[in-house]
Structure formats: C-alpha cells, structure tokens
Amino acid sequence: MTTTESDHASAICQSFGIQAAGFDSKAMNFTKREFLDYTIQATGFGASDRVLEVAAGTCACGRSIAPHVSQVVCLDLTPQMLAVGEREAAKQGLSNMRFVVGDAENIPFEGGSFSVVISRLAFHHMLHPERVFSQMLRVLKPGGKLVLIDMEAAEPALRSTEDEIERLRDFSHVRNLSRDEMLGLYRQAGLTVAKCEVTRIPVALDAWMELTQTPSELRKQITDRMMADIRGGAKTGFGPYLEGDKVYFNQRWILIVGVSVQPE
C-alpha cells in the first residue's frame, strides 16, 4: 500500500469511526427499509447462497439479507462500523453472519467463495474502484451475482463541483461514478447485466452533515452554496430544494445486478 493509499485508508477509518454511532439513524435514508427490501427483491437471493458484503459499514444491507440466505460475511475497513453491525445482528438473533475487518482491494478470501457479492454505497470512497471490482469478481463463484449499489454522478459539467462539496462534508469521499462508468466495470469483466435501475432517495441536508459531524464553518459554506443554487445562482450538481424551511436534495442510487459466466 502506497503512502497515498495508506493515508486514504486512515481517512476512511477516521470518517466512518465518527459516523458509526449515527449511521443507522432514522434521520438518514442510508438504511431506508423500503430500499433494503427492494434490494433483496431485485437481487433474488436463494436459501443456499453464501453472500459477501464488501465495505459493509454497519451491515444494514447484510442484516437484511441474512434471513434469506445460508450465510452473510460482512467485510469492512472500520472496526467501529462492524462493531455496530455485530451488535445489531445479535439483537436480531442473526446467527449466520460473520464480521471481518479487511481491505476491499485485498479481499481475504479464496477465489469462488461466494455465490453473491454485493457492495452498497461504498464505491465513491474507493481510490481504485476497478481493483475493488476485480477482487469482488475473484471471490465470486461462476454463475454467481455481483451487485453494485452507489450514487450516480451529476451531469458532466457539474461532476467536479458535486465531488468538491461531497469532500467538504466528508474528507474520505473520492468521486461519484457515472452510470456508464459503473456499467463499464461489468462490461470489462465480461459479466452479463441482468438489472440496472435508478431510485431517487431524498436526503435532508442538515442530517447529511450531522452524520459526519461536519465542522460549522464548512456546514455554513455548503448550506450557502445549496441556497444559492435554489435561488438561481451557481449550480451545485445536487439539485437542492426546500421543504418548508429545510433544504433537501435527491441522491440517485443505481442498483446493478451482474451475472458471471457459467463454465461450459
């Protein structure tokens, strides 16, 4: 791991160590029940599936999947996030889950270990998303499903602005991928895309910044830019809007299900 990569890994652990306590909060939509149910339906899990969730965070997705499959293994770089997931899994009586601290660029499992590999809302934190995707593919069984869920980037003219604001709020953010970039990962890997769907998820600006405990001066800077956008000023790429006196924006969550090639 290079110095830059090591620094970024430290930034992720620092940022998500802060976020761990509030990540499952109902004030945020990252654990939105409807979308978790939709993910399960769209993926089509089977009772014999062994599932790996990469960059699992507090394992909200993995905990939703666990009742439908044989086993779920949650892999994440941040011990504090996994600790929340493990505690919540115990409360739910989910005995078929494992929690492993590890790097998504070097997944610590043998090739072909899992029938489904999924990553949710994590690829925008990856310095090298193609490496992570390659590792996910390596541990996937032939004929297995590789599922990617992440936020779609803003239109090309506003992508750098959107990412700049994302980094003001969370210093571990790298860049949002476009839909074409996500699908390109599947094409390059020779996977068949069985599903590609977009869901708009409303996010409250204040709750979004509270989760990362964004410093007050940066909160003001972000809020001012959002309000200027709403009033017809410089665009942010977020498409913010007011509900009452509260600022909201819609994230565009893309869900892609790909199937690996079965041996003949």
Side-chain angles (χ1 to χ4, degrees):
M1 187 180 290
T2 67
T3 301
T4 300
E5 290 167 340
S6 176
D7 289 346
H8 184 63
S10 296
I12 287 176
C13 287
Q14 181 182 348
S15 176
F16 284 95
I18 291 169
Q19 295 182 53
F23 207 76
D24 282 1
S25 167
K26 288 182 170 58
M28 288 302 300
N29 282 306
F30 299 142
T31 55
K32 193 173 179 67
R33 182 74 254 166
E34 293 91 335
F35 193 86
L36 292 171
D37 290 343
Y38 159 71
T39 299
I40 292 165
Q41 179 273 325
T43 302
F45 294 97
S48 63
D49 278 329
R50 186 172 187 237
V51 180
L52 174 66
E53 184 182 10
V54 175
T58 59
C59 316
C61 189
R63 285 184 276 124
S64 295
I65 294 167
H68 305 277
V69 300
S70 173
Q71 184 184 44
V72 177
V73 178
C74 293
L75 177 78
D76 198 87
L77 196 60
T78 308
Q80 297 98 313
M81 295 288 273
L82 285 178
V84 172
E86 188 166 9
R87 184 176 68 242
E88 292 303 313
K91 288 180 183 178
Q92 294 172 246
L94 300 171
S95 60
N96 63 335
M97 297 188 70
R98 286 181 57 201
F99 305 88
V100 179
V101 176
D103 183 2
E105 287 194 17
N106 188 24
I107 294 175
F109 299 104
E110 294 182 358
S113 296
F114 300 91
S115 53
V116 182
V117 180
I118 184 169
S119 183
R120 176 178 174 269
L121 301 179
F123 263 55
H124 58 277
H125 293 289
M126 307 300 187
L127 281 176
H128 308 290
E130 70 287 348
R131 293 185 193 174
V132 178
F133 196 89
S134 177
Q135 281 287 295
M136 291 170 67
L137 182 62
R138 179 184 64 79
V139 298
L140 184 67
K141 289 181 177 179
K145 296 175 183 176
L146 196 156
V147 184
L148 176 59
I149 302 168
D150 207 6
M151 301 177 299
E152 181 181 18
E155 61 188 87
L158 294 172
R159 285 186 67 175
S160 61
T161 301
E162 180 189 48
D163 283 328
E164 176 195 350
I165 293 171
E166 289 272 10
R167 283 190 289 272
L168 287 176
R169 177 254 181 183
D170 180 356
F171 49 81
S172 71
H173 177 90
V174 177
R175 64 190 290 266
N176 289 336
L177 298 180
S178 69
R179 190 180 323 185
D180 284 346
E181 286 172 321
M182 294 185 208
L183 288 171
L185 294 170
Y186 284 80
R187 286 194 297 268
Q188 291 165 18
L191 294 171
T192 299
V193 173
K195 193 178 297 289
C196 178
E197 298 177 352
V198 181
T199 303
R200 292 185 178 273
I201 304 290
V203 178
L205 179 63
D206 285 344
W208 185 65
M209 294 188 291
E210 181 61 28
L211 179 63
T212 49
Q213 297 181 30
T214 304
S216 58
E217 64 273 15
L218 294 179
R219 292 191 195 204
K220 183 179 186 306
Q221 184 177 337
I222 292 169
T223 301
D224 287 349
R225 292 177 73 168
M226 295 288 193
M227 288 302 300
D229 186 342
I230 290 169
R231 292 168 179 154
K235 297 300 180 185
T236 60
F238 284 78
Y241 56 92
L242 290 174
E243 285 196 0
D245 61 350
K246 301 294 185 183
V247 179
Y248 282 78
F249 58 90
N250 291 330
Q251 291 179 336
R252 300 169 304 280
W253 290 11
I254 295 184
L255 180 147
I256 305 174
V257 180
V259 181
S260 66
V261 176
Q262 280 272 28
E264 294 185 3

